[in-house]
Amino acid sequence: MSPASNEHVVFLRTGGVALSLFPSAELAKDAGVDSRGSGFREFSIAHNVNTREEVAKVLAEAEKAGGRIIKPAQDVFWGGHSGYFEDPDRFLWEVAWNPMAPLNERGEMQLP
């Protein structure tokens, strides 16, 4: 478990991928979707990028490929910048830039 974990989120290091565990109601709130009903699968997949500007670019690429923007790119309470899209199978993806967890030269998230 990463020392970046707290009472709201747990970060687990898994090689070059980070697993982040949030309460599902908080995840739905962050994505701006209703936590009840068939549209929310109680998890999302995140794609982290190197810069704030890349968030909007990746969201635009996802939309062009058939995704639906759920939450446009915006500054977020934890100090980063992110947005969400839903893929054609209705899974939520977060695209995020996190200045506190930069990516290394291989694109792997660096947790403390």
Side-chain angles (χ1 to χ4, degrees), residues 25-59:
E26 291 301 313
L27 180 60
K29 181 179 174 183
D30 185 53
V33 299
D34 190 344
S35 64
R36 300 172 311 242
S38 62
F40 181 55
R41 299 180 186 252
E42 298 193 28
F43 76 93
S44 69
I45 304 164
H47 173 70
N48 289 279
V49 294
N50 286 308
T51 67
R52 181 183 193 281
E53 295 73 26
E54 283 181 88
V55 173
K57 289 178 186 177
V58 172
L59 288 172

PDB file of all heavy atoms in Angstrom, residues 25-59:
ATOM      1  N   ALA A  25     -19.912   5.011  -4.156  1.00  0.00           N
ATOM      2  CA  ALA A  25     -20.735   6.221  -4.184  1.00  0.00           C
ATOM      3  C   ALA A  25     -19.887   7.462  -4.458  1.00  0.00           C
ATOM      4  O   ALA A  25     -20.314   8.373  -5.180  1.00  0.00           O
ATOM      5  CB  ALA A  25     -21.494   6.381  -2.869  1.00  0.00           C
ATOM      6  N   GLU A  26     -18.675   7.499  -3.913  1.00  0.00           N
ATOM      7  CA  GLU A  26     -17.780   8.634  -4.152  1.00  0.00           C
ATOM      8  C   GLU A  26     -17.262   8.632  -5.592  1.00  0.00           C
ATOM      9  O   GLU A  26     -17.091   9.685  -6.195  1.00  0.00           O
ATOM     10  CB  GLU A  26     -16.616   8.614  -3.158  1.00  0.00           C
ATOM     11  CG  GLU A  26     -17.045   8.913  -1.736  1.00  0.00           C
ATOM     12  CD  GLU A  26     -17.709  10.272  -1.593  1.00  0.00           C
ATOM     13  OE1 GLU A  26     -17.186  11.275  -2.123  1.00  0.00           O
ATOM     14  OE2 GLU A  26     -18.773  10.333  -0.945  1.00  0.00           O
ATOM     15  N   LEU A  27     -16.997   7.449  -6.129  1.00  0.00           N
ATOM     16  CA  LEU A  27     -16.561   7.345  -7.520  1.00  0.00           C
ATOM     17  C   LEU A  27     -17.659   7.840  -8.449  1.00  0.00           C
ATOM     18  O   LEU A  27     -17.402   8.605  -9.380  1.00  0.00           O
ATOM     19  CB  LEU A  27     -16.180   5.902  -7.850  1.00  0.00           C
ATOM     20  CG  LEU A  27     -15.716   5.638  -9.268  1.00  0.00           C
ATOM     21  CD1 LEU A  27     -14.482   6.459  -9.606  1.00  0.00           C
ATOM     22  CD2 LEU A  27     -15.425   4.162  -9.443  1.00  0.00           C
ATOM     23  N   ALA A  28     -18.903   7.433  -8.209  1.00  0.00           N
ATOM     24  CA  ALA A  28     -20.022   7.896  -9.025  1.00  0.00           C
ATOM     25  C   ALA A  28     -20.155   9.414  -8.935  1.00  0.00           C
ATOM     26  O   ALA A  28     -20.358  10.089  -9.949  1.00  0.00           O
ATOM     27  CB  ALA A  28     -21.315   7.215  -8.585  1.00  0.00           C
ATOM     28  N   LYS A  29     -20.018   9.948  -7.729  1.00  0.00           N
ATOM     29  CA  LYS A  29     -20.103  11.395  -7.529  1.00  0.00           C
ATOM     30  C   LYS A  29     -19.004  12.105  -8.311  1.00  0.00           C
ATOM     31  O   LYS A  29     -19.259  13.114  -8.972  1.00  0.00           O
ATOM     32  CB  LYS A  29     -19.988  11.706  -6.036  1.00  0.00           C
ATOM     33  CG  LYS A  29     -20.082  13.159  -5.689  1.00  0.00           C
ATOM     34  CD  LYS A  29     -19.969  13.350  -4.173  1.00  0.00           C
ATOM     35  CE  LYS A  29     -19.904  14.796  -3.792  1.00  0.00           C
ATOM     36  NZ  LYS A  29     -19.712  14.950  -2.342  1.00  0.00           N
ATOM     37  N   ASP A  30     -17.781  11.571  -8.274  1.00  0.00           N
ATOM     38  CA  ASP A  30     -16.668  12.178  -9.002  1.00  0.00           C
ATOM     39  C   ASP A  30     -16.920  12.173 -10.504  1.00  0.00           C
ATOM     40  O   ASP A  30     -16.603  13.134 -11.200  1.00  0.00           O
ATOM     41  CB  ASP A  30     -15.365  11.446  -8.682  1.00  0.00           C
ATOM     42  CG  ASP A  30     -14.154  12.107  -9.308  1.00  0.00           C
ATOM     43  OD1 ASP A  30     -13.968  13.340  -9.103  1.00  0.00           O
ATOM     44  OD2 ASP A  30     -13.400  11.422 -10.018  1.00  0.00           O
ATOM     45  N   ALA A  31     -17.501  11.085 -11.014  1.00  0.00           N
ATOM     46  CA  ALA A  31     -17.779  10.978 -12.448  1.00  0.00           C
ATOM     47  C   ALA A  31     -19.022  11.770 -12.853  1.00  0.00           C
ATOM     48  O   ALA A  31     -19.240  12.014 -14.032  1.00  0.00           O
ATOM     49  CB  ALA A  31     -17.957   9.513 -12.835  1.00  0.00           C
ATOM     50  N   GLY A  32     -19.829  12.153 -11.869  1.00  0.00           N
ATOM     51  CA  GLY A  32     -21.050  12.881 -12.170  1.00  0.00           C
ATOM     52  C   GLY A  32     -22.167  11.989 -12.681  1.00  0.00           C
ATOM     53  O   GLY A  32     -22.986  12.411 -13.485  1.00  0.00           O
ATOM     54  N   VAL A  33     -22.197  10.740 -12.214  1.00  0.00           N
ATOM     55  CA  VAL A  33     -23.250   9.804 -12.615  1.00  0.00           C
ATOM     56  C   VAL A  33     -24.004   9.341 -11.377  1.00  0.00           C
ATOM     57  O   VAL A  33     -23.513   9.428 -10.256  1.00  0.00           O
ATOM     58  CB  VAL A  33     -22.678   8.581 -13.377  1.00  0.00           C
ATOM     59  CG1 VAL A  33     -21.988   9.020 -14.652  1.00  0.00           C
ATOM     60  CG2 VAL A  33     -21.743   7.765 -12.513  1.00  0.00           C
ATOM     61  N   ASP A  34     -25.204   8.820 -11.595  1.00  0.00           N
ATOM     62  CA  ASP A  34     -26.021   8.298 -10.508  1.00  0.00           C
ATOM     63  C   ASP A  34     -25.439   6.957 -10.057  1.00  0.00           C
ATOM     64  O   ASP A  34     -25.161   6.089 -10.883  1.00  0.00           O
ATOM     65  CB  ASP A  34     -27.453   8.114 -10.995  1.00  0.00           C
ATOM     66  CG  ASP A  34     -28.436   7.796  -9.885  1.00  0.00           C
ATOM     67  OD1 ASP A  34     -28.005   7.404  -8.769  1.00  0.00           O
ATOM     68  OD2 ASP A  34     -29.641   7.914 -10.134  1.00  0.00           O
ATOM     69  N   SER A  35     -25.238   6.786  -8.774  1.00  0.00           N
ATOM     70  CA  SER A  35     -24.674   5.539  -8.257  1.00  0.00           C
ATOM     71  C   SER A  35     -25.671   4.390  -8.290  1.00  0.00           C
ATOM     72  O   SER A  35     -25.287   3.240  -8.134  1.00  0.00           O
ATOM     73  CB  SER A  35     -24.158   5.730  -6.826  1.00  0.00           C
ATOM     74  OG  SER A  35     -25.232   6.040  -5.957  1.00  0.00           O
ATOM     75  N   ARG A  36     -26.935   4.693  -8.505  1.00  0.00           N
ATOM     76  CA  ARG A  36     -27.967   3.657  -8.591  1.00  0.00           C
ATOM     77  C   ARG A  36     -28.327   3.449 -10.056  1.00  0.00           C
ATOM     78  O   ARG A  36     -28.179   4.327 -10.880  1.00  0.00           O
ATOM     79  CB  ARG A  36     -29.200   4.090  -7.822  1.00  0.00           C
ATOM     80  CG  ARG A  36     -28.920   4.343  -6.360  1.00  0.00           C
ATOM     81  CD  ARG A  36     -30.144   4.956  -5.713  1.00  0.00           C
ATOM     82  NE  ARG A  36     -30.629   6.067  -6.511  1.00  0.00           N
ATOM     83  CZ  ARG A  36     -30.704   7.317  -6.097  1.00  0.00           C
ATOM     84  NH1 ARG A  36     -30.341   7.625  -4.897  1.00  0.00           N
ATOM     85  NH2 ARG A  36     -31.153   8.271  -6.886  1.00  0.00           N
ATOM     86  N   GLY A  37     -28.805   2.285 -10.378  1.00  0.00           N
ATOM     87  CA  GLY A  37     -29.282   2.032 -11.730  1.00  0.00           C
ATOM     88  C   GLY A  37     -28.304   1.219 -12.550  1.00  0.00           C
ATOM     89  O   GLY A  37     -27.194   0.902 -12.117  1.00  0.00           O
ATOM     90  N   SER A  38     -28.704   0.906 -13.749  1.00  0.00           N
ATOM     91  CA  SER A  38     -27.933  -0.012 -14.584  1.00  0.00           C
ATOM     92  C   SER A  38     -26.743   0.631 -15.278  1.00  0.00           C
ATOM     93  O   SER A  38     -25.884  -0.066 -15.791  1.00  0.00           O
ATOM     94  CB  SER A  38     -28.850  -0.637 -15.634  1.00  0.00           C
ATOM     95  OG  SER A  38     -29.370   0.377 -16.469  1.00  0.00           O
ATOM     96  N   GLY A  39     -26.670   1.963 -15.316  1.00  0.00           N
ATOM     97  CA  GLY A  39     -25.597   2.615 -16.052  1.00  0.00           C
ATOM     98  C   GLY A  39     -24.256   2.657 -15.346  1.00  0.00           C
ATOM     99  O   GLY A  39     -23.224   2.780 -15.988  1.00  0.00           O
ATOM    100  N   PHE A  40     -24.246   2.524 -14.025  1.00  0.00           N
ATOM    101  CA  PHE A  40     -22.993   2.621 -13.280  1.00  0.00           C
ATOM    102  C   PHE A  40     -22.560   1.240 -12.830  1.00  0.00           C
ATOM    103  O   PHE A  40     -23.266   0.563 -12.117  1.00  0.00           O
ATOM    104  CB  PHE A  40     -23.159   3.550 -12.076  1.00  0.00           C
ATOM    105  CG  PHE A  40     -21.911   3.720 -11.266  1.00  0.00           C
ATOM    106  CD1 PHE A  40     -20.734   4.148 -11.857  1.00  0.00           C
ATOM    107  CD2 PHE A  40     -21.906   3.445  -9.918  1.00  0.00           C
ATOM    108  CE1 PHE A  40     -19.583   4.300 -11.119  1.00  0.00           C
ATOM    109  CE2 PHE A  40     -20.758   3.599  -9.163  1.00  0.00           C
ATOM    110  CZ  PHE A  40     -19.588   4.033  -9.768  1.00  0.00           C
ATOM    111  N   ARG A  41     -21.379   0.823 -13.259  1.00  0.00           N
ATOM    112  CA  ARG A  41     -20.896  -0.524 -12.968  1.00  0.00           C
ATOM    113  C   ARG A  41     -20.038  -0.594 -11.697  1.00  0.00           C
ATOM    114  O   ARG A  41     -19.398  -1.593 -11.437  1.00  0.00           O
ATOM    115  CB  ARG A  41     -20.124  -1.053 -14.167  1.00  0.00           C
ATOM    116  CG  ARG A  41     -21.010  -1.134 -15.405  1.00  0.00           C
ATOM    117  CD  ARG A  41     -20.216  -1.653 -16.581  1.00  0.00           C
ATOM    118  NE  ARG A  41     -20.990  -1.605 -17.791  1.00  0.00           N
ATOM    119  CZ  ARG A  41     -21.478  -2.676 -18.400  1.00  0.00           C
ATOM    120  NH1 ARG A  41     -21.277  -3.866 -17.919  1.00  0.00           N
ATOM    121  NH2 ARG A  41     -22.156  -2.548 -19.506  1.00  0.00           N
ATOM    122  N   GLU A  42     -19.989   0.487 -10.942  1.00  0.00           N
ATOM    123  CA  GLU A  42     -19.305   0.575  -9.657  1.00  0.00           C
ATOM    124  C   GLU A  42     -17.792   0.523  -9.746  1.00  0.00           C
ATOM    125  O   GLU A  42     -17.113   0.274  -8.756  1.00  0.00           O
ATOM    126  CB  GLU A  42     -19.847  -0.456  -8.665  1.00  0.00           C
ATOM    127  CG  GLU A  42     -21.314  -0.210  -8.382  1.00  0.00           C
ATOM    128  CD  GLU A  42     -21.825  -0.978  -7.199  1.00  0.00           C
ATOM    129  OE1 GLU A  42     -21.047  -1.284  -6.273  1.00  0.00           O
ATOM    130  OE2 GLU A  42     -23.026  -1.270  -7.191  1.00  0.00           O
ATOM    131  N   PHE A  43     -17.245   0.750 -10.931  1.00  0.00           N
ATOM    132  CA  PHE A  43     -15.805   0.927 -11.066  1.00  0.00           C
ATOM    133  C   PHE A  43     -15.544   1.722 -12.331  1.00  0.00           C
ATOM    134  O   PHE A  43     -16.416   1.871 -13.183  1.00  0.00           O
ATOM    135  CB  PHE A  43     -15.056  -0.415 -11.105  1.00  0.00           C
ATOM    136  CG  PHE A  43     -15.168  -1.155 -12.403  1.00  0.00           C
ATOM    137  CD1 PHE A  43     -14.213  -0.993 -13.387  1.00  0.00           C
ATOM    138  CD2 PHE A  43     -16.212  -2.020 -12.627  1.00  0.00           C
ATOM    139  CE1 PHE A  43     -14.311  -1.669 -14.585  1.00  0.00           C
ATOM    140  CE2 PHE A  43     -16.327  -2.714 -13.816  1.00  0.00           C
ATOM    141  CZ  PHE A  43     -15.368  -2.541 -14.806  1.00  0.00           C
ATOM    142  N   SER A  44     -14.363   2.278 -12.406  1.00  0.00           N
ATOM    143  CA  SER A  44     -13.924   2.927 -13.639  1.00  0.00           C
ATOM    144  C   SER A  44     -12.479   2.533 -13.879  1.00  0.00           C
ATOM    145  O   SER A  44     -11.795   2.041 -12.984  1.00  0.00           O
ATOM    146  CB  SER A  44     -14.055   4.454 -13.553  1.00  0.00           C
ATOM    147  OG  SER A  44     -13.115   4.987 -12.646  1.00  0.00           O
ATOM    148  N   ILE A  45     -12.052   2.740 -15.086  1.00  0.00           N
ATOM    149  CA  ILE A  45     -10.666   2.507 -15.463  1.00  0.00           C
ATOM    150  C   ILE A  45     -10.069   3.885 -15.702  1.00  0.00           C
ATOM    151  O   ILE A  45     -10.716   4.748 -16.298  1.00  0.00           O
ATOM    152  CB  ILE A  45     -10.592   1.649 -16.737  1.00  0.00           C
ATOM    153  CG1 ILE A  45     -11.344   0.339 -16.521  1.00  0.00           C
ATOM    154  CG2 ILE A  45      -9.141   1.409 -17.149  1.00  0.00           C
ATOM    155  CD1 ILE A  45     -11.668  -0.408 -17.787  1.00  0.00           C
ATOM    156  N   ALA A  46      -8.873   4.110 -15.220  1.00  0.00           N
ATOM    157  CA  ALA A  46      -8.247   5.414 -15.406  1.00  0.00           C
ATOM    158  C   ALA A  46      -7.053   5.311 -16.337  1.00  0.00           C
ATOM    159  O   ALA A  46      -6.301   4.336 -16.282  1.00  0.00           O
ATOM    160  CB  ALA A  46      -7.812   5.995 -14.062  1.00  0.00           C
ATOM    161  N   HIS A  47      -6.922   6.306 -17.171  1.00  0.00           N
ATOM    162  CA  HIS A  47      -5.757   6.446 -18.045  1.00  0.00           C
ATOM    163  C   HIS A  47      -5.079   7.747 -17.639  1.00  0.00           C
ATOM    164  O   HIS A  47      -5.673   8.819 -17.754  1.00  0.00           O
ATOM    165  CB  HIS A  47      -6.193   6.493 -19.510  1.00  0.00           C
ATOM    166  CG  HIS A  47      -5.083   6.804 -20.452  1.00  0.00           C
ATOM    167  ND1 HIS A  47      -4.064   5.912 -20.713  1.00  0.00           N
ATOM    168  CD2 HIS A  47      -4.820   7.908 -21.180  1.00  0.00           C
ATOM    169  CE1 HIS A  47      -3.225   6.454 -21.578  1.00  0.00           C
ATOM    170  NE2 HIS A  47      -3.666   7.664 -21.876  1.00  0.00           N
ATOM    171  N   ASN A  48      -3.869   7.637 -17.119  1.00  0.00           N
ATOM    172  CA  ASN A  48      -3.143   8.824 -16.680  1.00  0.00           C
ATOM    173  C   ASN A  48      -2.252   9.331 -17.795  1.00  0.00           C
ATOM    174  O   ASN A  48      -1.670   8.544 -18.551  1.00  0.00           O
ATOM    175  CB  ASN A  48      -2.316   8.506 -15.432  1.00  0.00           C
ATOM    176  CG  ASN A  48      -3.213   8.312 -14.240  1.00  0.00           C
ATOM    177  OD1 ASN A  48      -3.652   9.273 -13.635  1.00  0.00           O
ATOM    178  ND2 ASN A  48      -3.513   7.073 -13.913  1.00  0.00           N
ATOM    179  N   VAL A  49      -2.157  10.659 -17.881  1.00  0.00           N
ATOM    180  CA  VAL A  49      -1.373  11.304 -18.929  1.00  0.00           C
ATOM    181  C   VAL A  49      -0.321  12.211 -18.298  1.00  0.00           C
ATOM    182  O   VAL A  49      -0.355  12.497 -17.105  1.00  0.00           O
ATOM    183  CB  VAL A  49      -2.283  12.096 -19.890  1.00  0.00           C
ATOM    184  CG1 VAL A  49      -3.205  11.157 -20.660  1.00  0.00           C
ATOM    185  CG2 VAL A  49      -3.104  13.145 -19.149  1.00  0.00           C
ATOM    186  N   ASN A  50       0.623  12.656 -19.124  1.00  0.00           N
ATOM    187  CA  ASN A  50       1.765  13.442 -18.638  1.00  0.00           C
ATOM    188  C   ASN A  50       1.481  14.915 -18.390  1.00  0.00           C
ATOM    189  O   ASN A  50       2.195  15.553 -17.632  1.00  0.00           O
ATOM    190  CB  ASN A  50       2.923  13.346 -19.636  1.00  0.00           C
ATOM    191  CG  ASN A  50       3.607  12.010 -19.572  1.00  0.00           C
ATOM    192  OD1 ASN A  50       4.009  11.559 -18.516  1.00  0.00           O
ATOM    193  ND2 ASN A  50       3.734  11.363 -20.719  1.00  0.00           N
ATOM    194  N   THR A  51       0.472  15.473 -19.064  1.00  0.00           N
ATOM    195  CA  THR A  51       0.217  16.909 -18.926  1.00  0.00           C
ATOM    196  C   THR A  51      -1.270  17.184 -18.779  1.00  0.00           C
ATOM    197  O   THR A  51      -2.119  16.380 -19.192  1.00  0.00           O
ATOM    198  CB  THR A  51       0.719  17.696 -20.159  1.00  0.00           C
ATOM    199  OG1 THR A  51      -0.084  17.343 -21.295  1.00  0.00           O
ATOM    200  CG2 THR A  51       2.189  17.428 -20.433  1.00  0.00           C
ATOM    201  N   ARG A  52      -1.565  18.322 -18.230  1.00  0.00           N
ATOM    202  CA  ARG A  52      -2.938  18.781 -18.057  1.00  0.00           C
ATOM    203  C   ARG A  52      -3.649  18.840 -19.410  1.00  0.00           C
ATOM    204  O   ARG A  52      -4.796  18.444 -19.546  1.00  0.00           O
ATOM    205  CB  ARG A  52      -2.875  20.159 -17.393  1.00  0.00           C
ATOM    206  CG  ARG A  52      -4.176  20.793 -17.101  1.00  0.00           C
ATOM    207  CD  ARG A  52      -3.917  22.202 -16.500  1.00  0.00           C
ATOM    208  NE  ARG A  52      -5.108  22.748 -15.923  1.00  0.00           N
ATOM    209  CZ  ARG A  52      -6.083  23.306 -16.627  1.00  0.00           C
ATOM    210  NH1 ARG A  52      -6.005  23.394 -17.925  1.00  0.00           N
ATOM    211  NH2 ARG A  52      -7.139  23.782 -16.001  1.00  0.00           N
ATOM    212  N   GLU A  53      -2.951  19.339 -20.430  1.00  0.00           N
ATOM    213  CA  GLU A  53      -3.534  19.530 -21.755  1.00  0.00           C
ATOM    214  C   GLU A  53      -3.902  18.207 -22.441  1.00  0.00           C
ATOM    215  O   GLU A  53      -4.818  18.154 -23.257  1.00  0.00           O
ATOM    216  CB  GLU A  53      -2.577  20.323 -22.643  1.00  0.00           C
ATOM    217  CG  GLU A  53      -2.319  21.746 -22.178  1.00  0.00           C
ATOM    218  CD  GLU A  53      -1.428  21.856 -20.944  1.00  0.00           C
ATOM    219  OE1 GLU A  53      -0.608  20.939 -20.694  1.00  0.00           O
ATOM    220  OE2 GLU A  53      -1.571  22.847 -20.208  1.00  0.00           O
ATOM    221  N   GLU A  54      -3.184  17.153 -22.107  1.00  0.00           N
ATOM    222  CA  GLU A  54      -3.456  15.854 -22.722  1.00  0.00           C
ATOM    223  C   GLU A  54      -4.819  15.290 -22.340  1.00  0.00           C
ATOM    224  O   GLU A  54      -5.380  14.475 -23.077  1.00  0.00           O
ATOM    225  CB  GLU A  54      -2.377  14.839 -22.341  1.00  0.00           C
ATOM    226  CG  GLU A  54      -1.083  14.995 -23.088  1.00  0.00           C
ATOM    227  CD  GLU A  54      -0.089  13.935 -22.658  1.00  0.00           C
ATOM    228  OE1 GLU A  54      -0.105  12.844 -23.265  1.00  0.00           O
ATOM    229  OE2 GLU A  54       0.676  14.205 -21.712  1.00  0.00           O
ATOM    230  N   VAL A  55      -5.359  15.697 -21.205  1.00  0.00           N
ATOM    231  CA  VAL A  55      -6.650  15.165 -20.763  1.00  0.00           C
ATOM    232  C   VAL A  55      -7.712  15.443 -21.823  1.00  0.00           C
ATOM    233  O   VAL A  55      -8.406  14.528 -22.277  1.00  0.00           O
ATOM    234  CB  VAL A  55      -7.064  15.741 -19.390  1.00  0.00           C
ATOM    235  CG1 VAL A  55      -8.480  15.306 -19.020  1.00  0.00           C
ATOM    236  CG2 VAL A  55      -6.068  15.323 -18.312  1.00  0.00           C
ATOM    237  N   ALA A  56      -7.847  16.689 -22.249  1.00  0.00           N
ATOM    238  CA  ALA A  56      -8.860  17.044 -23.251  1.00  0.00           C
ATOM    239  C   ALA A  56      -8.583  16.360 -24.583  1.00  0.00           C
ATOM    240  O   ALA A  56      -9.523  15.932 -25.267  1.00  0.00           O
ATOM    241  CB  ALA A  56      -8.920  18.560 -23.431  1.00  0.00           C
ATOM    242  N   LYS A  57      -7.313  16.222 -24.955  1.00  0.00           N
ATOM    243  CA  LYS A  57      -6.968  15.564 -26.219  1.00  0.00           C
ATOM    244  C   LYS A  57      -7.391  14.099 -26.212  1.00  0.00           C
ATOM    245  O   LYS A  57      -7.960  13.606 -27.189  1.00  0.00           O
ATOM    246  CB  LYS A  57      -5.464  15.675 -26.488  1.00  0.00           C
ATOM    247  CG  LYS A  57      -5.014  17.070 -26.840  1.00  0.00           C
ATOM    248  CD  LYS A  57      -3.516  17.113 -27.044  1.00  0.00           C
ATOM    249  CE  LYS A  57      -3.047  18.526 -27.250  1.00  0.00           C
ATOM    250  NZ  LYS A  57      -1.587  18.616 -27.380  1.00  0.00           N
ATOM    251  N   VAL A  58      -7.125  13.386 -25.116  1.00  0.00           N
ATOM    252  CA  VAL A  58      -7.498  11.973 -25.035  1.00  0.00           C
ATOM    253  C   VAL A  58      -9.021  11.821 -25.003  1.00  0.00           C
ATOM    254  O   VAL A  58      -9.581  10.932 -25.656  1.00  0.00           O
ATOM    255  CB  VAL A  58      -6.841  11.286 -23.819  1.00  0.00           C
ATOM    256  CG1 VAL A  58      -7.382   9.880 -23.614  1.00  0.00           C
ATOM    257  CG2 VAL A  58      -5.318  11.257 -23.987  1.00  0.00           C
ATOM    258  N   LEU A  59      -9.715  12.699 -24.286  1.00  0.00           N
ATOM    259  CA  LEU A  59     -11.173  12.648 -24.273  1.00  0.00           C
ATOM    260  C   LEU A  59     -11.734  12.858 -25.683  1.00  0.00           C
ATOM    261  O   LEU A  59     -12.668  12.161 -26.093  1.00  0.00           O
ATOM    262  CB  LEU A  59     -11.748  13.690 -23.311  1.00  0.00           C
ATOM    263  CG  LEU A  59     -11.570  13.399 -21.822  1.00  0.00           C
ATOM    264  CD1 LEU A  59     -11.999  14.610 -20.991  1.00  0.00           C
ATOM    265  CD2 LEU A  59     -12.336  12.162 -21.399  1.00  0.00           C
TER     266      LEU A  59
END
